[in-house]
Amino acid sequence: MRVIITGGNSGIGKATAAALAAAGHSLVIAARDVAKSERAADEIGGDVTAAHLDLADLAGVRAFAEAVESVDVLVNNAGVLGLPLTRTVDGFEAHMGINHLGHFALTCLLGDQITDRVVSVASGAHALGRLHLDDLNWHTRRYSWWAAYAQSKLATMLFVHELARRGMRAYAVDPGGADSDITRYSTGFLGWARDQQWLKNFPQNVATAARASVGAVTTDLPSGTYFAPRFKQFGQPRVTRPLKKARDPDMARRLWELSAELTGCDWP
C-alpha cells in the first residue's frame, strides 16, 4: 500500500515508517525538515521517499496535498508538546493548529484520494482535555501548554469519531509514553527528563510505542476503533473503549464544523 506518514522522520513516526517499509509498503515521509526526512528514508531503506509538509501553514498543506498523486493510507502522526504560547502562520495556537487543524485540513484535502483508511495518533492526555469551542485557539483564556496539548488530543479523538461517522475508515491510536523527541521544545521537567540518560527508553522505546500505529494500518477491526496500551503508558496495544467525551457525537460534529470554518477545508 501507498502510505503517507506525517512527522515520519523521527521518534515514533520514524519507527512506524520503518516497520511499514519492512513489511513491504511504499512510504512518503511528510515533514517540515526535508533533509532530515531524506536521511531517515535512507536509513530505513525500501520504497521510502521524503516530501515537505508544514502543518503550521495551511498554504503549505494545500500545496502538499495538490502534489499527491496517490495514497491508500494516511497516518496523521506529527505532533508538538510543551510549547509556550505560539501561533501558526494562520494564527492558530500551535498545539491545536498542528496536532488537529493541520491534520484536519490535510485529511479533507486528500479525502478523494485516500483509498483505504486514516490513522490518527492521539494520546492518553486527551482524558484530561476539555474542548473550548468558544476559544479553541487561546485568545481569551489564560494559557497552559498542558491544557492546550490535552485539548488538541481530545480534538483528535473526536475527529476520528466524526470521520468514521462520515464513512471514512478511520482509527485512533495511543502509543503511550516513549523516549521520543516530541518534548524537544519543552522546558521545565520535560526538558530536564529529555536529557537524562537513565530515563532513555522509559517507559518504552519508540519501536514498541509504534505498534499501535503499525497495527492500525492493516487491522480488519471496525472503523472508529481506538487502540491504547494495556497499562496506560506501556504494554501491548489493545482495543479500548473511548471515554464518553471522546465520542460525543454533538461535540464531534460541532468541532468538525468549526475546524472546516477555520481551515477553509471540508470533507469532499
Side-chain angles (χ1 to χ4, degrees):
M1 290 193 293
R2 180 76 163 169
V3 182
I4 294 175
I5 178 167
T6 67
N9 59 10
S10 64
I12 294 171
K14 183 179 178 182
T16 302
L20 293 174
H25 300 293
S26 173
L27 270 291
V28 176
I29 293 174
R32 186 175 57 179
D33 189 333
V34 176
K36 185 176 180 181
S37 298
E38 290 174 342
R39 289 194 298 272
D42 289 341
E43 292 170 13
I44 291 169
D47 186 5
V48 184
T49 57
H52 180 259
L53 171 64
D54 185 355
L55 291 164
D57 181 355
L58 289 179
V61 175
R62 288 184 178 277
F64 171 83
E66 289 171 0
V68 172
E69 296 181 357
S70 64
V71 54
D72 298 308
V73 179
L74 173 63
V75 181
N76 291 323
N77 165 85
V80 293
L81 165 69
L83 294 177
L85 181 56
T86 307
R87 300 210 174 271
T88 68
V89 171
D90 304 281
F92 307 141
E93 185 278 320
H95 293 93
M96 182 58 66
I98 295 170
N99 297 354
H100 169 62
L101 292 171
H103 280 131
F104 175 90
L106 177 64
T107 304
C108 289
L109 290 168
L110 293 177
D112 278 334
Q113 293 174 264
I114 299 169
T115 64
D116 192 88
R117 69 190 66 195
V118 175
V119 176
S120 294
V121 178
S123 165
H126 82 271
L128 303 175
R130 181 182 175 192
L131 211 58
H132 291 260
L133 296 182
D134 59 337
D135 187 27
L136 199 66
N137 285 297
W138 298 84
H139 289 292
T140 62
R141 290 178 287 158
R142 182 177 179 180
Y143 182 74
S144 160
W145 69 257
W146 177 252
Y149 176 74
Q151 178 187 235
S152 74
K153 290 303 183 178
L154 177 57
T156 298
M157 294 291 292
L158 289 165
F159 171 53
V160 169
H161 179 85
E162 182 66 8
L163 196 58
R165 190 192 69 80
R166 290 173 180 246
M168 171 55 70
R169 195 169 191 177
Y171 299 90
V173 300
D174 173 11
D179 179 24
S180 73
D181 63 350
I182 193 172
T183 60
R184 61 192 178 278
Y185 303 117
S186 302
T187 57
F189 174 77
L190 288 179
W192 172 84
R194 181 184 62 240
D195 298 327
Q196 304 305 306
Q197 283 301 309
W198 64 280
L199 287 175
K200 191 166 182 62
N201 292 331
F202 178 81
Q204 58 187 350
N205 61 37
V206 291
T208 301
R211 291 179 300 178
S213 295
V214 174
V217 168
T218 57
T219 186
D220 290 326
L221 288 170
S223 178
T225 297
Y226 171 47
F227 298 94
R230 179 172 297 277
F231 302 111
K232 301 296 184 182
Q233 289 298 302
F234 66 96
Q236 185 73 25
R238 64 185 180 115
V239 175
T240 303
R241 181 173 175 79
L243 297 174
K244 185 176 180 179
K245 67 178 178 181
R247 51 186 169 85
D248 181 329
D250 181 63
M251 184 62 79
R253 176 187 57 78
R254 292 168 60 201
L255 173 64
W256 185 289
E257 291 172 353
L258 178 57
S259 299
E261 178 184 338
L262 290 172
T263 64
C265 304
D266 206 344
W267 197 238

